Amino acid sequence: AQSVTQLDSHVSVSEGTPVLLRCNYSSSYSPSLFWYVQHPNKGLQLLLKYTSAATLVKGINGFEAEFKKSETSFHLTKPSAHMSDAAEYFCVFLSGGYNKLIFGAGTRLAVHP
Amino acid sequence: GAGVSQSPSNKVTEKGKDVELRCDPISGHTALYWYRQRLGQGLEFLIYFQGNSAPDKSGLPSDRFSAERTGESVSTLTIQRTQQEDSAVYLCASSLTERNYGYTFGSGTRLTVV
């Protein structure tokens, strides 16, 4: 079965420290993977996407993610957190039929001064 | 318009009433999706439209839920005889084609059933 698991429901970091949001996937096929961010009362915004090109993907706002097939992971990182990064982050898997985005349960990132 | 527009942004309804939610996709986007997001959870796929093809309704949770789309324009999601468990944010997304990967989400309709 195809699925995506976000390992942490909440992550709290201090401003200026690194961010790591973990995501693992399960798929029989080469997956397409995305990270979306959802700020309070805002729509979902695409941060970055992996579609079988370079395994290290750079996104907006300084975020990046590395696709590791051996570990079935697609963790999201940022070297230095900013207060404006506080939001809900979703790891998303595109199903083999190309018509369904399967969302993880989300990770709420809190950034403290 | 520039983005995916959903209306209303908020809807409070009494249990048992019918509600209709609207989604205006980005002009020219052939693919349209409806998702549901319950409080504190990820998004559940509900239904998918691609051009004039038969929609993929595999995510609709019950026969109280239905959705329509005329051509490549507006879509409406209808929930009949609403129940409290229907309370959620209903999100619409569109993309240029089904394989474009450029999914743009609307801000959603927050439905509260009391």
Side-chain angles (χ1 to χ4, degrees), chain A residues 39-69:
Chain A
H39 290 273
N41 301 315
K42 297 279 184 68
L44 283 157
Q45 181 182 23
L46 179 66
L47 277 178
L48 48 82
K49 61 185 180 184
Y50 167 76
T51 55
S52 74
T55 56
L56 182 62
V57 182
K58 293 187 183 297
I60 62 172
N61 301 336
F63 284 93
E64 61 181 39
E66 186 172 7
F67 174 74
K68 292 186 177 181
K69 186 175 181 179

Side-chain angles (χ1 to χ4, degrees), chain A residues 12-35:
Chain A
S12 181
V13 301
S14 299
E15 189 175 22
T17 64
V19 175
L20 170 64
L21 306 183
R22 298 182 294 166
C23 173
N24 286 97
Y25 69 91
S26 174
S27 175
S28 302
Y29 309 97
S30 182
S32 292
L33 293 157
F34 309 77
W35 276 97

Side-chain angles (χ1 to χ4, degrees), chain A residues 32 34 36 38 43-44 49 51 90 94 98-101 103-105, chain B residues 33 35 37 41-43 45 48 56 58 98-99 101 103 105-107:
Chain A
S32 292
F34 309 77
Y36 277 83
Q38 187 176 37
L44 283 157
K49 61 185 180 184
T51 55
F90 292 97
L94 185 63
Y98 297 109
N99 64 347
K100 293 178 193 176
L101 292 176
F103 281 72
Chain B
Y33 309 77
Y35 285 83
Q37 185 178 24
Q41 299 185 21
L43 273 70
F45 168 79
Y48 161 71
D56 177 351
S58 60
E98 64 182 2
R99 300 185 180 216
Y101 304 146
Y103 300 83
F105 282 82
S107 297

